[in-house]
Amino acid sequence: MSKGRLGGFCVILRSFAFCLPLLAASFSAFGADKEELIPANMQQRQDSLGFRWDISNRGGVEDGLNDCFDGGLYLLVNGMNFNSTQQMMTKDGADLVLSNPNINNISVTRRIWVNSKEGYCRYLEVFENSGQGSATVTVTVRSRLGSQGQQTLSSAGLPFGGTLDKKDVGLMAMTNGRPCVMFLLGEQKSEAPVTPMVMQNRDYTFNYTLTIKPKETASILHYVAQRTSIMGNAVPDLFNTFYKRKLLVDPHLSKELAKTVRNFNIRNGGDSMDVGPAFQHVVTLLESMDVERGASDILVMDNDTRLSGTLTTSPFTVETRYGLSAINPEEVAILWGGAGIGRG
């Protein structure tokens, strides 16, 4: 390319796999390589919105606010109930760390953080294969509401019909008289997509399948929030608040733990965690064009045509309203065409 303008509609998306170190850094900035744990204080917690989190030794929420749950967020591993043999927490008291070192040769730890400021609870289910061979682990998270709800909506705000769309990231249990419940479950294009089951808008079962090599660790990351007075048309915005607007930056998880997550595309350069305000514009554009981040450059020709490969070109200059700018293509995340006076 040489000096000039990008005409027509042409978007060139550079490889986004390089973003992984930035994502992992958002976890490790506050994490310690060797954290100090102390005996857990299992007293109930309350977030800034007034919702109660009465977490049991098994890691489930007993009731929540106004009998929101009749036992929520309970974990089963290969069909066996998780019962912690050790209840610890981080030294600052933020993270509960509940563990069982041997469930069918799998060491299981539930890390639970109530984000009191933003009003949600984060779960990280950590599985370490202590056996000699690879293990296939069925991870089940079950919740029963305090009463039958009105309906269940997808994260897009649509009635749940038994399966999630490829862009869905969770479910919303709509209730009357009790808090509604948001379940943020993961990305369907991830290595471990969720299979949800809903019975009578009261019993919610979420299944994941993990294949774990010997001495390897894999994790499932999910979130739950209680909310009142939620209308159906507000559900997408609620999920966007947590997912797309990047409020899920977690100061309590180390870089090492972040790399083990299987149900969000963190390890592969996905956009699940904090990417910063500048790069967020790129992520938003990718979502609007249904383009997945990956190791290849993508040329978007029109609504249907996508070409993948490697963009090779010498440095070029672009004329802007501020004058000429020299551009090195290898340092550019996105080139958005269609430029002209009065146009983007």
Side-chain angles (χ1 to χ4, degrees), residues 15-16 32 43 59 70 104 115 117 128 151 167 172 222 231 248 252 260 282 290 337:
S15 167
F16 294 101
Q43 291 182 354
D70 275 349
N104 292 337
N115 186 328
K117 180 180 178 180
E128 182 179 356
Q151 62 176 333
K167 291 187 177 181
M172 189 79 190
H222 60 104
M231 303 298 292
L248 299 180
H252 303 284
T260 69
V282 177
D290 197 22

Side-chain angles (χ1 to χ4, degrees), residues 250-267:
D250 197 327
H252 303 284
L253 297 185
S254 67
K255 175 181 178 180
E256 289 70 26
L257 281 174
K259 290 180 178 180
T260 69
V261 173
R262 297 283 182 89
N263 62 318
F264 284 96
N265 288 315
I266 302 172
R267 298 182 305 161

Side-chain angles (χ1 to χ4, degrees), residues 152-154 158-165 168 171 196-198 201:
T152 301
L153 301 179
S154 70
L158 301 176
F160 176 62
T163 58
L164 291 176
D165 185 76
D168 286 327
L171 293 176
M197 295 178 60
V198 179
N201 294 319

Side-chain angles (χ1 to χ4, degrees), residues 169-319:
V169 293
L171 293 176
M172 189 79 190
M174 306 294 291
T175 62
N176 186 15
R178 306 179 195 270
C180 303
V181 182
M182 182 202 76
F183 298 101
L184 179 54
L185 304 171
E187 297 165 336
Q188 290 302 94
K189 295 181 180 180
S190 67
E191 186 176 340
V194 64
T195 300
M197 295 178 60
V198 179
M199 295 185 63
Q200 298 182 338
N201 294 319
R202 185 178 186 183
D203 294 295
Y204 291 78
T205 302
F206 308 125
N207 290 307
Y208 305 83
T209 301
L210 299 175
T211 300
I212 312 175
K213 298 177 181 178
K215 311 305 178 183
E216 184 180 40
T217 299
S219 301
I220 295 296
L221 182 67
H222 60 104
Y223 303 79
V224 60
Q226 304 174 61
R227 290 293 186 270
T228 54
S229 304
I230 295 293
M231 303 298 292
N233 57 5
V235 169
D237 283 340
L238 177 62
F239 275 93
N240 288 346
T241 297
F242 289 93
Y243 180 65
K244 292 185 179 179
R245 296 178 192 172
K246 314 306 173 193
L247 291 186
L248 299 180
V249 180
D250 197 327
H252 303 284
L253 297 185
S254 67
K255 175 181 178 180
E256 289 70 26
L257 281 174
K259 290 180 178 180
T260 69
V261 173
R262 297 283 182 89
N263 62 318
F264 284 96
N265 288 315
I266 302 172
R267 298 182 305 161
N268 299 322
D271 59 354
S272 306
M273 297 297 134
D274 183 37
V275 294
F279 195 71
Q280 178 57 48
H281 296 294
V282 177
V283 172
T284 301
L285 181 63
L286 291 177
E287 291 174 347
S288 69
M289 294 181 176
D290 197 22
V291 172
E292 293 186 50
R293 292 165 61 186
S296 298
D297 300 327
I298 304 295
L299 175 64
V300 179
M301 299 294 294
D302 51 41
N303 291 335
D304 301 314
T305 306
R306 307 286 188 272
L307 300 179
S308 63
T310 301
L311 173 65
T312 56
T313 181
S314 58
F316 58 91
T317 58
V318 175
E319 184 177 355

